[in-house]
Each structure stands twice: as structure tokens, then as C-alpha cells.
CSV table of all heavy atoms in Angstrom, one decimal:
chain,number,residue,atom,x,y,z
V,1053,PRO,N,3.8,114.5,-53.5
V,1053,PRO,CA,2.5,114.2,-52.7
V,1053,PRO,C,2.9,114.5,-51.2
V,1053,PRO,O,4.0,114.4,-50.8
V,1053,PRO,CB,2.3,112.7,-53.0
V,1053,PRO,CG,3.6,112.2,-53.5
V,1053,PRO,CD,4.3,113.4,-54.1
V,1054,GLU,N,1.9,114.8,-50.4
V,1054,GLU,CA,2.1,115.0,-49.0
V,1054,GLU,C,2.5,113.7,-48.4
V,1054,GLU,O,1.9,112.7,-48.6
V,1054,GLU,CB,0.8,115.6,-48.3
V,1054,GLU,CG,0.6,117.1,-48.6
V,1054,GLU,CD,1.7,117.9,-48.1
V,1054,GLU,OE1,2.2,117.7,-46.9
V,1054,GLU,OE2,2.1,118.8,-48.9
V,1055,PRO,N,3.5,113.7,-47.5
V,1055,PRO,CA,3.9,112.5,-46.9
V,1055,PRO,C,2.8,111.9,-45.9
V,1055,PRO,O,2.1,112.9,-45.3
V,1055,PRO,CB,5.2,112.8,-46.2
V,1055,PRO,CG,5.3,114.3,-46.1
V,1055,PRO,CD,4.4,114.8,-47.2
V,1056,GLU,N,2.8,110.7,-45.6
V,1056,GLU,CA,1.9,110.3,-44.4
V,1056,GLU,C,2.3,110.7,-43.2
V,1056,GLU,O,3.5,111.2,-43.0
V,1056,GLU,CB,1.8,108.6,-44.5
V,1056,GLU,CG,1.5,108.1,-45.8
V,1056,GLU,CD,-0.1,108.3,-46.1
V,1056,GLU,OE1,-0.8,108.4,-45.2
V,1056,GLU,OE2,-0.4,108.5,-47.3
V,1057,ASP,N,1.5,110.6,-42.1
V,1057,ASP,CA,1.9,110.9,-40.8
V,1057,ASP,C,3.2,110.0,-40.4
V,1057,ASP,O,3.3,109.0,-40.7
V,1057,ASP,CB,0.8,110.7,-39.8
V,1057,ASP,CG,-0.4,111.6,-39.9
V,1057,ASP,OD1,-0.2,112.6,-40.5
V,1057,ASP,OD2,-1.4,111.2,-39.4
V,1058,ASP,N,4.1,110.7,-39.7
V,1058,ASP,CA,5.4,110.1,-39.3
V,1058,ASP,C,6.3,109.7,-40.5
V,1058,ASP,O,7.2,108.9,-40.4
V,1058,ASP,CB,5.2,109.0,-38.4
V,1058,ASP,CG,4.5,109.5,-37.1
V,1058,ASP,OD1,4.8,110.6,-36.6
V,1058,ASP,OD2,3.7,108.7,-36.4
V,1059,GLU,N,6.0,110.3,-41.7
V,1059,GLU,CA,6.9,110.2,-42.9
V,1059,GLU,C,7.4,111.5,-43.2
V,1059,GLU,O,6.8,112.5,-43.1
V,1059,GLU,CB,6.2,109.4,-44.1
V,1059,GLU,CG,5.8,108.0,-43.8
V,1059,GLU,CD,5.2,107.5,-45.1
V,1059,GLU,OE1,4.8,108.2,-46.1
V,1059,GLU,OE2,5.1,106.2,-45.2
V,1060,TYR,N,8.7,111.5,-43.8
V,1060,TYR,CA,9.4,112.7,-44.1
V,1060,TYR,C,10.2,112.6,-45.4
V,1060,TYR,O,10.7,111.4,-45.6
V,1060,TYR,CB,10.3,113.2,-43.0
V,1060,TYR,CG,9.6,113.2,-41.7
V,1060,TYR,CD1,9.6,112.1,-40.7
V,1060,TYR,CD2,8.9,114.4,-41.2
V,1060,TYR,CE1,8.9,112.2,-39.5
V,1060,TYR,CE2,8.3,114.4,-40.0
V,1060,TYR,CZ,8.3,113.4,-39.2
V,1060,TYR,OH,7.7,113.4,-38.0
V,1061,TYR,N,10.2,113.6,-46.1
V,1061,TYR,CA,11.1,113.6,-47.3
V,1061,TYR,C,12.6,113.9,-46.7
V,1061,TYR,O,12.6,114.8,-45.7
V,1061,TYR,CB,10.7,114.6,-48.3
V,1061,TYR,CG,9.5,114.3,-49.1
V,1061,TYR,CD1,8.3,114.9,-49.0
V,1061,TYR,CD2,9.5,113.2,-50.0
V,1061,TYR,CE1,7.1,114.5,-49.6
V,1061,TYR,CE2,8.4,112.8,-50.7
V,1061,TYR,CZ,7.3,113.5,-50.5
V,1061,TYR,OH,6.2,113.1,-51.2
V,1062,TRP,N,13.6,113.3,-47.3
V,1062,TRP,CA,14.9,113.7,-46.9
V,1062,TRP,C,15.2,115.2,-46.9
V,1062,TRP,O,15.8,115.7,-46.0
V,1062,TRP,CB,15.9,112.9,-47.7
V,1062,TRP,CG,16.1,111.5,-47.5
V,1062,TRP,CD1,15.3,110.7,-46.6
V,1062,TRP,CD2,17.1,110.6,-48.0
V,1062,TRP,NE1,15.7,109.4,-46.6
V,1062,TRP,CE2,16.8,109.3,-47.5
V,1062,TRP,CE3,18.1,110.7,-48.8
V,1062,TRP,CZ2,17.6,108.2,-47.8
V,1062,TRP,CZ3,18.9,109.7,-49.2
V,1062,TRP,CH2,18.6,108.4,-48.6
V,1063,LEU,N,14.7,115.8,-47.9
V,1063,LEU,CA,15.0,117.3,-48.0
V,1063,LEU,C,14.4,118.1,-47.0
V,1063,LEU,O,14.9,119.1,-46.6
V,1063,LEU,CB,14.5,117.8,-49.4
V,1063,LEU,CG,13.0,117.8,-49.7
V,1063,LEU,CD1,12.5,119.3,-49.6
V,1063,LEU,CD2,12.7,117.3,-51.0
V,1064,ASP,N,13.3,117.5,-46.2
V,1064,ASP,CA,12.8,118.2,-45.1
V,1064,ASP,C,13.6,118.0,-43.9
V,1064,ASP,O,13.6,118.8,-42.9
V,1064,ASP,CB,11.4,117.7,-44.9
V,1064,ASP,CG,10.4,118.1,-45.9
V,1064,ASP,OD1,10.7,119.1,-46.6
V,1064,ASP,OD2,9.4,117.4,-46.0
V,1065,LEU,N,14.4,116.9,-43.8
V,1065,LEU,CA,15.2,116.6,-42.7
V,1065,LEU,C,16.6,117.4,-42.7
V,1065,LEU,O,17.2,117.6,-41.7
V,1065,LEU,CB,15.5,115.2,-42.5
V,1065,LEU,CG,14.1,114.3,-42.3
V,1065,LEU,CD1,14.6,112.9,-42.1
V,1065,LEU,CD2,13.4,114.8,-41.1
V,1066,GLU,N,17.1,117.5,-43.9
V,1066,GLU,CA,18.4,118.2,-44.1
V,1066,GLU,C,18.3,119.6,-43.6
V,1066,GLU,O,17.4,120.3,-43.9
V,1066,GLU,CB,18.9,118.2,-45.5
V,1066,GLU,CG,19.1,116.7,-46.0
V,1066,GLU,CD,19.5,116.6,-47.4
V,1066,GLU,OE1,19.3,117.6,-48.2
V,1066,GLU,OE2,19.9,115.6,-47.9
V,1067,GLY,N,19.4,120.0,-42.7
V,1067,GLY,CA,19.4,121.3,-42.1
V,1067,GLY,C,18.7,121.4,-40.7
V,1067,GLY,O,18.8,122.4,-40.1
V,1068,LEU,N,18.0,120.3,-40.3
V,1068,LEU,CA,17.5,120.3,-39.0
V,1068,LEU,C,18.5,120.1,-37.9
V,1068,LEU,O,19.5,119.4,-38.0
V,1068,LEU,CB,16.5,119.2,-38.8
V,1068,LEU,CG,15.2,119.3,-39.7
V,1068,LEU,CD1,14.2,118.2,-39.3
V,1068,LEU,CD2,14.5,120.6,-39.5
V,1069,SER,N,18.3,120.8,-36.7
V,1069,SER,CA,19.3,120.7,-35.6
V,1069,SER,C,19.0,119.3,-34.9
V,1069,SER,O,17.8,119.0,-34.8
V,1069,SER,CB,19.0,121.8,-34.6
V,1069,SER,OG,19.4,123.0,-35.1
V,1070,VAL,N,20.1,118.7,-34.5
V,1070,VAL,CA,20.0,117.4,-33.8
V,1070,VAL,C,20.4,117.6,-32.4
V,1070,VAL,O,21.5,118.1,-32.1
V,1070,VAL,CB,20.9,116.4,-34.5
V,1070,VAL,CG1,20.7,115.0,-33.8
V,1070,VAL,CG2,20.5,116.1,-36.0
V,1071,ILE,N,19.5,117.3,-31.4
V,1071,ILE,CA,19.6,117.5,-30.1
V,1071,ILE,C,19.4,116.1,-29.4
V,1071,ILE,O,18.5,115.5,-29.7
V,1071,ILE,CB,18.7,118.5,-29.5
V,1071,ILE,CG1,18.9,119.8,-30.3
V,1071,ILE,CG2,18.9,118.8,-28.0
V,1071,ILE,CD1,17.8,120.8,-30.1
V,1072,ASN,N,20.4,115.8,-28.4
V,1072,ASN,CA,20.1,114.5,-27.7
V,1072,ASN,C,19.2,114.6,-26.5
V,1072,ASN,O,18.6,115.8,-26.2
V,1072,ASN,CB,21.4,113.8,-27.4
V,1072,ASN,CG,22.1,114.5,-26.1
V,1072,ASN,OD1,21.6,115.4,-25.6
V,1072,ASN,ND2,23.3,113.9,-25.8
V,1073,LEU,N,18.8,113.6,-25.9
V,1073,LEU,CA,17.9,113.6,-24.9
V,1073,LEU,C,18.2,114.4,-23.7
V,1073,LEU,O,17.4,114.8,-22.9
V,1073,LEU,CB,17.6,112.1,-24.3
V,1073,LEU,CG,16.8,111.3,-25.3
V,1073,LEU,CD1,16.7,109.8,-24.9
V,1073,LEU,CD2,15.5,111.8,-25.8
V,1074,ASP,N,19.5,114.7,-23.5
V,1074,ASP,CA,20.1,115.6,-22.5
V,1074,ASP,C,20.2,117.1,-22.8
V,1074,ASP,O,20.6,117.9,-22.1
V,1074,ASP,CB,21.5,115.1,-22.1
V,1074,ASP,CG,21.5,113.8,-21.5
V,1074,ASP,OD1,20.6,113.4,-20.8
V,1074,ASP,OD2,22.6,113.0,-21.7
V,1075,GLY,N,19.6,117.4,-24.0
V,1075,GLY,CA,19.5,118.7,-24.5
V,1075,GLY,C,20.8,119.2,-25.1
V,1075,GLY,O,20.9,120.4,-25.4
V,1076,ILE,N,21.7,118.3,-25.4
V,1076,ILE,CA,23.0,118.7,-26.0
V,1076,ILE,C,22.9,118.7,-27.5
V,1076,ILE,O,22.4,117.7,-28.2
V,1076,ILE,CB,24.2,117.8,-25.6
V,1076,ILE,CG1,24.3,117.8,-24.1
V,1076,ILE,CG2,25.4,118.2,-26.4
V,1076,ILE,CD1,25.3,116.7,-23.7
V,1077,THR,N,23.2,119.8,-28.1
V,1077,THR,CA,23.1,120.0,-29.6
V,1077,THR,C,24.3,119.2,-30.2
V,1077,THR,O,25.5,119.6,-29.9
V,1077,THR,CB,23.1,121.5,-30.0
V,1077,THR,OG1,22.0,122.1,-29.5
V,1077,THR,CG2,23.1,121.6,-31.5
V,1078,LEU,N,24.0,118.3,-31.1
V,1078,LEU,CA,25.0,117.5,-31.7
V,1078,LEU,C,25.5,118.1,-33.0
V,1078,LEU,O,26.6,117.8,-33.6
V,1078,LEU,CB,24.6,116.1,-31.9
V,1078,LEU,CG,24.1,115.3,-30.6
V,1078,LEU,CD1,23.6,113.9,-30.9
V,1078,LEU,CD2,25.4,115.3,-29.7
V,1079,GLY,N,24.6,118.9,-33.7
V,1079,GLY,CA,24.9,119.4,-35.0
V,1079,GLY,C,23.7,119.6,-35.8
V,1079,GLY,O,22.6,119.7,-35.3
V,1080,VAL,N,23.9,119.6,-37.1
V,1080,VAL,CA,22.9,119.8,-38.1
V,1080,VAL,C,23.0,118.6,-39.0
V,1080,VAL,O,24.0,118.2,-39.4
V,1080,VAL,CB,23.1,121.1,-38.8
V,1080,VAL,CG1,22.0,121.3,-39.9
V,1080,VAL,CG2,22.9,122.3,-37.8
V,1081,VAL,N,21.8,118.2,-39.5
V,1081,VAL,CA,21.7,117.1,-40.5
V,1081,VAL,C,22.2,117.7,-41.8
V,1081,VAL,O,21.7,118.6,-42.4
V,1081,VAL,CB,20.2,116.5,-40.7
V,1081,VAL,CG1,20.2,115.5,-41.9
V,1081,VAL,CG2,19.7,116.0,-39.4
V,1082,ASP,N,23.4,117.2,-42.2
V,1082,ASP,CA,24.1,117.6,-43.5
V,1082,ASP,C,23.4,116.8,-44.7
V,1082,ASP,O,23.3,117.3,-45.8
V,1082,ASP,CB,25.5,117.4,-43.4
V,1082,ASP,CG,26.2,117.8,-44.6
V,1082,ASP,OD1,26.3,119.0,-44.9
V,1082,ASP,OD2,26.8,117.0,-45.4
V,1083,SER,N,23.3,115.5,-44.5
V,1083,SER,CA,22.8,114.7,-45.6
V,1083,SER,C,22.3,113.3,-44.9
V,1083,SER,O,22.3,113.2,-43.8
V,1083,SER,CB,23.9,114.3,-46.7
V,1083,SER,OG,25.0,113.7,-46.0
V,1084,ILE,N,21.7,112.5,-45.7
V,1084,ILE,CA,21.2,111.2,-45.3
V,1084,ILE,C,21.7,110.2,-46.3
V,1084,ILE,O,21.7,110.3,-47.5
V,1084,ILE,CB,19.7,111.2,-45.3
V,1084,ILE,CG1,19.2,112.3,-44.3
V,1084,ILE,CG2,19.2,109.8,-44.8
V,1084,ILE,CD1,17.7,112.5,-44.4
V,1085,MET,N,22.3,109.1,-45.7
V,1085,MET,CA,22.9,108.0,-46.6
V,1085,MET,C,21.9,106.8,-46.5
V,1085,MET,O,21.4,106.5,-45.5
V,1085,MET,CB,24.2,107.5,-45.9
V,1085,MET,CG,25.4,108.5,-46.0
V,1085,MET,SD,27.0,107.8,-45.6
V,1085,MET,CE,26.6,106.9,-44.0
V,1086,GLU,N,21.7,106.3,-47.7
V,1086,GLU,CA,21.0,105.0,-47.8
V,1086,GLU,C,21.9,103.9,-47.7
V,1086,GLU,O,22.8,103.7,-48.5
V,1086,GLU,CB,20.2,105.1,-49.2
V,1086,GLU,CG,19.2,104.0,-49.3
V,1086,GLU,CD,18.4,104.1,-50.6
V,1086,GLU,OE1,18.6,105.0,-51.4
V,1086,GLU,OE2,17.6,103.3,-50.8
V,1087,THR,N,21.7,103.1,-46.8
V,1087,THR,CA,22.6,101.9,-46.5
V,1087,THR,C,22.1,100.6,-46.9
V,1087,THR,O,22.8,99.6,-46.8
V,1087,THR,CB,23.1,101.9,-45.1
V,1087,THR,OG1,22.0,101.6,-44.2
V,1087,THR,CG2,23.8,103.2,-44.7
V,1088,GLY,N,20.8,100.5,-47.1
V,1088,GLY,CA,20.2,99.2,-47.3
V,1088,GLY,C,19.4,98.8,-46.1
V,1088,GLY,O,18.1,98.6,-46.3
V,1089,ALA,N,20.0,98.6,-45.0
V,1089,ALA,CA,19.2,98.2,-43.8
V,1089,ALA,C,18.5,99.5,-43.2
V,1089,ALA,O,17.2,99.4,-43.1
V,1089,ALA,CB,20.2,97.6,-42.8
V,1090,ASN,N,19.2,100.5,-42.8
V,1090,ASN,CA,18.6,101.6,-42.3
V,1090,ASN,C,19.3,102.9,-42.9
V,1090,ASN,O,20.4,102.9,-43.1
V,1090,ASN,CB,18.8,101.7,-40.7
V,1090,ASN,CG,18.1,100.6,-40.0
V,1090,ASN,OD1,16.9,100.4,-40.1
V,1090,ASN,ND2,18.9,99.9,-39.2
V,1091,ASP,N,18.4,104.0,-43.1
V,1091,ASP,CA,19.1,105.1,-43.6
V,1091,ASP,C,19.9,105.7,-42.4
V,1091,ASP,O,19.6,105.4,-41.2
V,1091,ASP,CB,18.0,106.2,-44.0
V,1091,ASP,CG,17.2,105.7,-45.2
V,1091,ASP,OD1,17.8,104.9,-46.0
V,1091,ASP,OD2,16.1,106.1,-45.4
V,1092,VAL,N,20.9,106.6,-42.7
V,1092,VAL,CA,21.7,107.1,-41.6
V,1092,VAL,C,21.8,108.6,-41.8
V,1092,VAL,O,22.1,109.1,-42.9
V,1092,VAL,CB,23.1,106.5,-41.7
V,1092,VAL,CG1,24.2,107.1,-40.7
V,1092,VAL,CG2,23.1,105.0,-41.5
V,1093,LEU,N,21.5,109.3,-40.7
V,1093,LEU,CA,21.7,110.8,-40.7
V,1093,LEU,C,23.1,111.1,-40.6
V,1093,LEU,O,23.8,110.6,-39.7
V,1093,LEU,CB,20.9,111.4,-39.5
V,1093,LEU,CG,19.4,111.2,-39.4
V,1093,LEU,CD1,18.9,111.8,-38.2
V,1093,LEU,CD2,18.7,111.7,-40.6
V,1094,VAL,N,23.7,111.9,-41.4
V,1094,VAL,CA,24.9,112.5,-41.3
V,1094,VAL,C,24.8,113.9,-40.6
V,1094,VAL,O,24.4,114.8,-41.3
V,1094,VAL,CB,25.7,112.6,-42.7
V,1094,VAL,CG1,27.1,113.2,-42.6
V,1094,VAL,CG2,25.8,111.3,-43.4
V,1095,VAL,N,25.3,113.9,-39.4
V,1095,VAL,CA,25.1,115.0,-38.6
V,1095,VAL,C,26.5,115.7,-38.5
V,1095,VAL,O,27.5,115.1,-38.0
V,1095,VAL,CB,24.5,114.7,-37.2
V,1095,VAL,CG1,24.4,116.0,-36.4
V,1095,VAL,CG2,23.2,114.0,-37.4
């Protein structure tokens, strides 16, 4: 099903470039870990 606004499937986030507020590229989302409290991007 189509995700709601501001919702994403993990598979859509994997492979995205991660850039900080200063414009520095930190890497690419390799995977996402489910931790219970908050999911965590593995960059």
C-alpha cells in the first residue's frame, strides 16, 4: 500500500545519501536497525 505522508518504507530509505545541515556527505543508508525505542539508520 502507498505510505501515508511523511511515512516511508525502509527499502525506500536504503541507498539514500545522508547529508548533514552543513552540506557534508556522511555516507549512504546501508540498512536500518529496529531497536525498540527508535529505529536507527546505519550509514
Side-chain angles (χ1 to χ4, degrees):
E1054 283 300 314
E1056 299 292 324
D1057 290 340
D1058 295 327
E1059 289 186 347
Y1060 305 92
Y1061 287 111
W1062 284 10
L1063 69 107
D1064 293 334
L1065 300 180
E1066 292 173 355
L1068 296 184
S1069 293
V1070 179
I1071 303 167
N1072 76 1
L1073 295 174
D1074 296 325
I1076 299 170
T1077 300
L1078 303 177
V1080 174
V1081 177
D1082 180 67
S1083 61
I1084 302 170
M1085 292 189 310
E1086 188 174 2
T1087 64
N1090 297 306
D1091 296 332
V1092 175
L1093 300 178
V1094 178
V1095 178

